[in-house]
Amino acid sequence: MTKTAGQFAPPDIQGLQGRAGDLFQLLRDGQARTRAELAITTGLARSTVASRIDALISSGLVGPAGEASSSGGRPPSRFAFNPAARVVLAVDVGATHAVVAVTDLAGSIVAERRLEQEVAEGPEAVLGRILALAQGLLAEAGRPLKDLAGVGIGLPGPVEHDTGRPVKPPIMPGWDGFDVVPYVQRSLPVPVLVDNDVNIMALGERTAYWPEHSNFLFIKVATGVGAGIISSGQLQRGANGTAGDLGHVRVPRGDDVLCRCGNYGCLEALASGPAVARQLQAQGLDAATGADVLRLVREGHPQAVQALRQAGRDVGDVLAAAVNLLNPSIVIIGGSIGEAGEHLVAGIREVVYRRSLPLATAHLRIGISMAGPRAAILGASQMVTQHVLSPDVVEATLAGSAIAG
């Protein structure tokens, strides 16, 4: 079983209100503390801290973590976040696959499976298989349904995040406006959050590997091209969930290239895996998919290397404007083509560093995803934990448990 733990940014101490949900935010970093240490840190009365810790222990979210050193008398007990208290179901739906994983509340992967399927088969067929697999994974992990805190799903198209409905997704026939949340909740009656796959990839990559970077861009290059934008530490979805849709920004050299969206010159029509494969096919090479492009590059075909490098330049043409506009400190390239394409990244760097403002690129780092194919799973898990472990939701959960008790 593979485990990849995420990071957690500490809360603003001044914003703590003395509720158990607020106090819990201090403990989410995993560091063990005593009641006295928490009282000193927060300025709350020791009796208040003690009652809040007791409530969190009863919920399972906090557990004992040994004893602190003593200057005399009985050593004080220490407490820490217990990420194994609940589990999250994380789902990454791609154009031709789906990955389903069970994680703990810190994002560590407990069980994971991959399905080969076409998203174009429609929501009920795709989600039906995912839900059946999810039930099996929970059983494999030895976790009953009552341990499930929530479900996070990434979809390969625009999503209205507040409702979880896909919005006119170009590669997802039959999904437009489909009520994903209630459909999933028929089988799994827990909070269900849905977002665009690139958004959750950005969230997963940044949380796991770059938590110190508050201004962060994740660029996915695969069947499509898109960006996840994190600005001042917050994921930016835009007014209708379409923020970061780089794939349909016009590229100067693409005037005569028709995109599936109906416009000419879109980045996706020139730089995505299928687009590069079509270019190589026109040159007589055996390339039907992005995987074929990467195979040809590995085999040393100069046309494939040059085509991938040019795709990087095309991405760089669009990305240079985004760098000037958003001023990120780091840009990470992911997706099936991005993760394996050093030549692609070289083309991106070539244009971005030449075309962006010197001040914007003075300390800019452009690199390849470290999370790789697990970026979306880590992000789907993080999306759920950000919600279910937030102060208000923890407080409501504790209140509900008290009433039920």
Side-chain angles (χ1 to χ4, degrees), residues 56-87:
L56 291 167
I57 290 173
S58 296
S59 74
L61 290 173
V62 168
E67 296 178 334
S69 58
S70 173
S71 57
R74 184 178 177 180
S77 298
R78 307 176 83 182
F79 304 91
F81 173 39
N82 175 24
R86 308 284 294 282
V87 292

CSV table of all heavy atoms in Angstrom, one decimal, residues 56-87:
chain,number,residue,atom,x,y,z
A,56,LEU,N,-13.1,16.2,21.1
A,56,LEU,CA,-12.3,15.8,19.9
A,56,LEU,C,-11.9,14.3,20.0
A,56,LEU,O,-11.9,13.6,19.1
A,56,LEU,CB,-11.2,16.7,19.6
A,56,LEU,CG,-11.5,18.1,19.1
A,56,LEU,CD1,-10.3,19.0,19.2
A,56,LEU,CD2,-12.1,18.1,17.7
A,57,ILE,N,-11.5,13.9,21.3
A,57,ILE,CA,-11.1,12.6,21.5
A,57,ILE,C,-12.3,11.6,21.3
A,57,ILE,O,-12.2,10.6,20.7
A,57,ILE,CB,-10.5,12.4,22.9
A,57,ILE,CG1,-9.1,13.1,23.0
A,57,ILE,CG2,-10.3,10.9,23.3
A,57,ILE,CD1,-8.5,13.2,24.4
A,58,SER,N,-13.4,12.1,21.8
A,58,SER,CA,-14.6,11.2,21.7
A,58,SER,C,-15.0,11.0,20.2
A,58,SER,O,-15.5,10.0,19.8
A,58,SER,CB,-15.8,11.9,22.4
A,58,SER,OG,-15.6,12.0,23.8
A,59,SER,N,-14.7,12.0,19.4
A,59,SER,CA,-15.0,11.9,17.9
A,59,SER,C,-14.0,11.0,17.2
A,59,SER,O,-14.3,10.6,16.1
A,59,SER,CB,-15.0,13.3,17.3
A,59,SER,OG,-13.7,13.8,17.1
A,60,GLY,N,-12.9,10.8,17.8
A,60,GLY,CA,-11.8,10.0,17.2
A,60,GLY,C,-10.8,10.8,16.4
A,60,GLY,O,-9.8,10.4,15.9
A,61,LEU,N,-11.2,12.1,16.1
A,61,LEU,CA,-10.3,13.0,15.3
A,61,LEU,C,-9.0,13.3,16.0
A,61,LEU,O,-8.0,13.6,15.4
A,61,LEU,CB,-11.0,14.3,15.0
A,61,LEU,CG,-12.2,14.2,14.0
A,61,LEU,CD1,-12.9,15.6,13.9
A,61,LEU,CD2,-11.7,13.8,12.7
A,62,VAL,N,-8.9,13.2,17.3
A,62,VAL,CA,-7.7,13.4,18.1
A,62,VAL,C,-7.5,12.2,19.0
A,62,VAL,O,-8.5,11.6,19.5
A,62,VAL,CB,-7.8,14.7,19.0
A,62,VAL,CG1,-6.7,14.8,20.0
A,62,VAL,CG2,-7.8,15.9,18.1
A,63,GLY,N,-6.2,11.8,19.2
A,63,GLY,CA,-5.9,10.6,20.0
A,63,GLY,C,-4.7,10.9,20.8
A,63,GLY,O,-4.0,11.8,20.6
A,64,PRO,N,-4.5,10.0,21.8
A,64,PRO,CA,-3.3,10.1,22.7
A,64,PRO,C,-2.0,10.0,21.9
A,64,PRO,O,-2.0,9.2,20.9
A,64,PRO,CB,-3.5,9.0,23.7
A,64,PRO,CG,-4.4,8.1,23.1
A,64,PRO,CD,-5.3,8.8,22.2
A,65,ALA,N,-1.0,10.7,22.2
A,65,ALA,CA,0.3,10.6,21.5
A,65,ALA,C,1.5,10.6,22.5
A,65,ALA,O,2.4,11.4,22.4
A,65,ALA,CB,0.4,11.8,20.6
A,66,GLY,N,1.3,9.8,23.6
A,66,GLY,CA,2.4,9.7,24.5
A,66,GLY,C,2.4,10.7,25.6
A,66,GLY,O,1.4,11.4,25.8
A,67,GLU,N,3.5,10.8,26.3
A,67,GLU,CA,3.5,11.8,27.4
A,67,GLU,C,4.7,12.7,27.3
A,67,GLU,O,5.7,12.4,26.7
A,67,GLU,CB,3.7,11.0,28.8
A,67,GLU,CG,2.5,10.1,29.1
A,67,GLU,CD,2.8,9.3,30.4
A,67,GLU,OE1,3.9,9.1,30.7
A,67,GLU,OE2,1.8,9.0,31.1
A,68,ALA,N,4.5,14.0,27.7
A,68,ALA,CA,5.6,15.0,27.7
A,68,ALA,C,6.5,14.7,28.9
A,68,ALA,O,6.1,14.1,29.9
A,68,ALA,CB,4.9,16.4,27.7
A,69,SER,N,7.7,15.3,28.8
A,69,SER,CA,8.6,15.2,29.9
A,69,SER,C,8.0,16.0,31.1
A,69,SER,O,7.3,17.0,31.0
A,69,SER,CB,10.0,15.8,29.5
A,69,SER,OG,9.8,17.1,29.1
A,70,SER,N,8.4,15.5,32.3
A,70,SER,CA,7.8,16.1,33.5
A,70,SER,C,9.0,16.7,34.4
A,70,SER,O,10.0,16.1,34.5
A,70,SER,CB,7.0,15.1,34.3
A,70,SER,OG,6.6,15.6,35.5
A,71,SER,N,8.7,17.8,35.0
A,71,SER,CA,9.6,18.4,35.9
A,71,SER,C,9.4,17.9,37.4
A,71,SER,O,10.0,18.4,38.3
A,71,SER,CB,9.6,19.9,35.9
A,71,SER,OG,8.3,20.4,36.1
A,72,GLY,N,8.4,17.0,37.5
A,72,GLY,CA,8.0,16.5,38.8
A,72,GLY,C,6.6,16.1,38.8
A,72,GLY,O,5.8,16.8,38.2
A,73,GLY,N,6.3,15.0,39.4
A,73,GLY,CA,4.9,14.6,39.4
A,73,GLY,C,4.6,13.8,38.1
A,73,GLY,O,5.4,13.4,37.3
A,74,ARG,N,3.3,13.5,37.9
A,74,ARG,CA,2.8,12.7,36.7
A,74,ARG,C,3.1,13.5,35.4
A,74,ARG,O,2.6,14.6,35.3
A,74,ARG,CB,1.4,12.4,36.9
A,74,ARG,CG,0.8,11.5,35.8
A,74,ARG,CD,-0.6,11.1,36.1
A,74,ARG,NE,-1.2,10.3,35.0
A,74,ARG,CZ,-2.4,9.9,35.0
A,74,ARG,NH1,-3.2,10.2,36.0
A,74,ARG,NH2,-2.8,9.1,34.0
A,75,PRO,N,3.7,12.8,34.4
A,75,PRO,CA,3.9,13.5,33.1
A,75,PRO,C,2.6,13.8,32.5
A,75,PRO,O,1.6,13.0,32.5
A,75,PRO,CB,4.7,12.5,32.3
A,75,PRO,CG,5.2,11.5,33.3
A,75,PRO,CD,4.2,11.5,34.4
A,76,PRO,N,2.5,15.0,31.9
A,76,PRO,CA,1.2,15.4,31.2
A,76,PRO,C,1.0,14.6,29.9
A,76,PRO,O,2.0,14.3,29.2
A,76,PRO,CB,1.4,16.9,30.9
A,76,PRO,CG,2.9,17.1,30.9
A,76,PRO,CD,3.5,16.1,31.8
A,77,SER,N,-0.2,14.3,29.6
A,77,SER,CA,-0.5,13.5,28.3
A,77,SER,C,-0.4,14.5,27.1
A,77,SER,O,-0.8,15.7,27.2
A,77,SER,CB,-1.9,12.9,28.4
A,77,SER,OG,-1.9,12.0,29.5
A,78,ARG,N,0.0,13.9,26.0
A,78,ARG,CA,0.0,14.7,24.7
A,78,ARG,C,-1.0,14.1,23.8
A,78,ARG,O,-1.4,12.9,23.8
A,78,ARG,CB,1.4,14.6,24.1
A,78,ARG,CG,2.5,15.0,25.1
A,78,ARG,CD,3.9,14.8,24.5
A,78,ARG,NE,4.2,15.9,23.6
A,78,ARG,CZ,5.4,16.0,23.0
A,78,ARG,NH1,6.2,15.0,23.0
A,78,ARG,NH2,5.7,17.1,22.3
A,79,PHE,N,-1.5,15.0,22.9
A,79,PHE,CA,-2.6,14.6,22.0
A,79,PHE,C,-2.2,15.1,20.6
A,79,PHE,O,-1.5,16.1,20.4
A,79,PHE,CB,-3.9,15.2,22.4
A,79,PHE,CG,-4.3,14.9,23.8
A,79,PHE,CD1,-3.9,15.7,24.9
A,79,PHE,CD2,-5.0,13.7,24.1
A,79,PHE,CE1,-4.3,15.4,26.2
A,79,PHE,CE2,-5.3,13.4,25.3
A,79,PHE,CZ,-5.0,14.2,26.4
A,80,ALA,N,-2.7,14.4,19.6
A,80,ALA,CA,-2.4,14.7,18.2
A,80,ALA,C,-3.5,14.3,17.3
A,80,ALA,O,-4.4,13.5,17.7
A,80,ALA,CB,-1.1,14.0,17.7
A,81,PHE,N,-3.6,14.9,16.1
A,81,PHE,CA,-4.5,14.6,15.1
A,81,PHE,C,-4.4,13.1,14.7
A,81,PHE,O,-3.3,12.5,14.6
A,81,PHE,CB,-4.3,15.4,13.8
A,81,PHE,CG,-5.0,15.1,12.6
A,81,PHE,CD1,-6.4,14.7,12.7
A,81,PHE,CD2,-4.4,15.2,11.4
A,81,PHE,CE1,-7.1,14.4,11.5
A,81,PHE,CE2,-5.2,14.9,10.2
A,81,PHE,CZ,-6.5,14.5,10.3
A,82,ASN,N,-5.6,12.4,14.6
A,82,ASN,CA,-5.6,11.0,14.3
A,82,ASN,C,-6.2,10.9,12.8
A,82,ASN,O,-7.4,10.7,12.7
A,82,ASN,CB,-6.5,10.2,15.2
A,82,ASN,CG,-6.7,8.8,14.8
A,82,ASN,OD1,-5.8,8.2,14.1
A,82,ASN,ND2,-7.8,8.2,15.3
A,83,PRO,N,-5.3,10.9,11.8
A,83,PRO,CA,-5.8,10.8,10.4
A,83,PRO,C,-6.5,9.5,10.1
A,83,PRO,O,-7.3,9.5,9.1
A,83,PRO,CB,-4.6,11.1,9.6
A,83,PRO,CG,-3.4,10.6,10.5
A,83,PRO,CD,-3.9,11.0,11.9
A,84,ALA,N,-6.3,8.5,10.9
A,84,ALA,CA,-7.0,7.2,10.6
A,84,ALA,C,-8.4,7.2,11.1
A,84,ALA,O,-9.1,6.2,10.9
A,84,ALA,CB,-6.2,6.1,11.2
A,85,ALA,N,-8.9,8.2,11.7
A,85,ALA,CA,-10.2,8.2,12.3
A,85,ALA,C,-11.3,8.0,11.2
A,85,ALA,O,-12.3,7.3,11.5
A,85,ALA,CB,-10.5,9.6,13.0
A,86,ARG,N,-11.1,8.6,10.1
A,86,ARG,CA,-12.1,8.4,9.0
A,86,ARG,C,-11.3,8.2,7.7
A,86,ARG,O,-10.1,8.4,7.6
A,86,ARG,CB,-13.0,9.7,8.8
A,86,ARG,CG,-13.6,10.1,10.1
A,86,ARG,CD,-14.8,9.3,10.5
A,86,ARG,NE,-15.9,9.4,9.6
A,86,ARG,CZ,-16.8,10.5,9.5
A,86,ARG,NH1,-16.6,11.5,10.3
A,86,ARG,NH2,-17.8,10.5,8.6
A,87,VAL,N,-12.0,7.9,6.6
A,87,VAL,CA,-11.4,7.7,5.3
A,87,VAL,C,-12.2,8.6,4.3
A,87,VAL,O,-13.3,9.0,4.5
A,87,VAL,CB,-11.3,6.3,4.8
A,87,VAL,CG1,-10.4,5.5,5.7
A,87,VAL,CG2,-12.7,5.6,4.8
